[in-house]
Amino acid sequence: MTTLFLSADWGQDEWLAAWQAVAPNRPLLVHGRDDYDPAGIDYALTWKPPRGVLKTLPNLKAIFNMGAGVDGVIADPEFPAVPLVRLVDPDLTSRMGEWVVLQVLTHFRQALTYLDFQAKHEWTELTQPAAHSARVGLMGYGTLARHCAPILLALGFNVHGWSRSPKSSDITLHYGDDGLDHFLARTDILVSLLPLTEGTRGILDAALIAKLGGGSPLGPVLVNAGRGGLQNEADILAALRSGALKGASLDVFNEEPLPAGDPMWDGPNLVITPHVAAASDPEATVANIIRQIDAYESGQPLQNVVDLARGY
Ligand code: NDP
Ligand code: OXD
């Protein structure tokens, strides 16, 4: 059973080393490096695969994405009719929890202002509200957000969520287009963990920011680790400059890497990280994918298969 590594973006070396460590007996070939017979490829390992290549593999049984978000795979207009498995792994999930909590606390505990004071050698105490006075809204309440919720609750925040479909949950959950305004009006710190689909593209814009609750003196704040395509960057920058947003943390951008001359770099009270909120660890990811392949080959169904009609 041969697997093909297909990524236009992620360096192959650490992935090949991880594969060798975890599955030395399973052949892994690299598109663009190795000669291969397309008919001999059983599985593909993808991250933003070059367009048109997947459809040239006639005996492909499944595609395993090395990340959680699959927008970079299904963007291929010639995407073949085989199951696409997205990454759901405790290592990635827990990294996202760290990043989200770091950003929420950075803004809520006014860390940027204190760093600014420190740079000026200034000893000034700011009024600090208690966590229970702030409402954190998790936009997208899937694998990652469900991990973040109990951590934020344990810190004392009020936490609620928004998803596409109704579901039972320990926290108040709003859903669908009808539930969005209600959710936003009750949110001081908005954390976006949405996938990029036709239903979510550009959703984080001036109109949405205007609907965020203004109940907390430290809000509203926007945190986005979903995808850059969710956000209107000009709107976010304007909102930071006008004070309509008190702060923001963005891990993802419409264009990555964010160009050196982009005005976002100098946005006030804006934390920028270079799409590192929850990086896929090669060893953990490869071990996860090999477990899935083993189970699949022993007749069990694949887990975390993407619903292509929904787009996530
Ligand atoms: P899931 O598929 O588990 O969850 C997605 C959530 O978004 C679900 O709750 C879903 O609703 C909701 N959703 C989707 N479309 C809509 C919509 N139109 N309206 C309202 N809610 C919607 O994904 P994960 O939690 O695993 O990951 C989320 C995203 O995080 C990934 O797609 C990826 O883009 C991003 N990501 C970013 C990383 C980084 O390092 N920056 C790392 C990993 C992931 P429902 O529950 O009803 O289906
Ligand atoms: C992912 C990512 O989707 O790293 O896993 O963005």
Side-chain angles (χ1 to χ4, degrees), residues 10 47 65-71 87 92 96 144 225-227 251-252 256 275-280:
W10 284 356
W47 178 257
N65 196 40
M66 294 181 279
V70 293
D71 48 296
L87 181 64
L92 180 139
M96 184 59 87
L144 301 177
R227 279 291 179 267
D251 182 57
V252 284
E256 294 179 2
H275 202 143
V276 292
S280 300

Side-chain angles (χ1 to χ4, degrees), residues 97 100-101 136 138 141-161 169-171 173 193:
V100 165
V101 169
V136 179
L138 296 168
Y141 197 63
T143 307
L144 301 177
R146 284 199 304 270
H147 170 74
C148 297
I151 310 175
L152 293 162
L153 285 166
L155 289 170
F157 291 104
N158 277 294
V159 182
H160 64 154
S169 158
D170 290 346
I171 62 167
L173 207 56
L193 288 168

Side-chain angles (χ1 to χ4, degrees), residues 49-312:
R51 293 190 179 190
V53 178
L54 288 166
K55 70 128 198 251
T56 67
L57 310 172
N59 296 317
L60 196 61
K61 296 179 180 62
I63 300 166
F64 294 92
N65 196 40
M66 294 181 279
V70 293
D71 48 296
V73 189
I74 58 182
D76 186 343
E78 297 174 288
F79 188 78
V82 292
L84 167 63
V85 175
R86 68 191 204 88
L87 181 64
V88 176
D89 188 81
D91 180 85
L92 180 139
T93 301
S94 117
R95 289 167 193 254
M96 184 59 87
E98 293 166 13
W99 188 87
V100 165
V101 169
L102 174 66
Q103 303 313 323
V104 168
L105 288 178
T106 292
H107 295 288
F108 183 68
R109 293 306 306 244
Q110 307 174 81
L112 300 180
T113 310
Y114 281 119
L115 285 172
D116 200 36
F117 288 165
Q118 182 179 344
K120 293 188 272 191
H121 300 194
E122 186 180 320
W123 184 276
T124 301
E125 184 180 340
L126 301 168
T127 304
Q128 181 60 51
H132 63 73
S133 68
R135 302 162 299 179
V136 179
L138 296 168
M139 193 174 196
Y141 197 63
T143 307
L144 301 177
R146 284 199 304 270
H147 170 74
C148 297
I151 310 175
L152 293 162
L153 285 166
L155 289 170
F157 291 104
N158 277 294
V159 182
H160 64 154
W162 182 68
S163 62
R164 195 179 58 88
S165 51
K167 49 182 59 64
S168 65
S169 158
D170 290 346
I171 62 167
T172 303
L173 207 56
H174 311 268
Y175 66 93
D177 293 344
D178 292 347
L180 182 57
D181 285 5
H182 204 67
F183 165 75
L184 295 172
R186 285 156 185 75
T187 295
D188 302 309
I189 302 176
L190 180 69
V191 177
S192 156
L193 288 168
L194 284 168
L196 179 61
T197 68
E198 285 321 304
T200 62
R201 188 178 296 281
I203 193 168
L204 304 175
D205 64 2
L208 177 140
I209 291 167
K211 291 177 183 167
L212 287 169
S216 159
L218 299 180
V221 165
L222 170 66
V223 174
N224 182 23
R227 279 291 179 267
L230 299 169
Q231 73 204 12
N232 181 318
E233 283 153 22
D235 284 3
I236 293 171
L237 189 56
L240 286 166
R241 286 180 174 151
S242 72
L245 271 181
K246 299 269 174 40
S249 290
L250 306 177
D251 182 57
V252 284
F253 291 86
N254 280 284
E255 184 180 348
E256 294 179 2
L258 184 64
D262 196 289
M264 293 302 278
W265 286 110
D266 299 312
N269 297 318
L270 174 58
V271 175
I272 289 177
T273 53
H275 202 143
V276 292
S280 300
D281 174 71
E283 284 223 6
T285 304
V286 167
N288 179 312
I289 291 171
I290 294 291
R291 274 197 302 278
Q292 281 254 46
I293 292 178
D294 286 346
Y296 178 67
E297 288 178 354
S298 69
Q300 293 169 49
L302 291 166
Q303 307 291 315
N304 308 311
V305 175
V306 172
D307 178 340
L308 293 177
R310 286 187 329 190
Y312 68 98

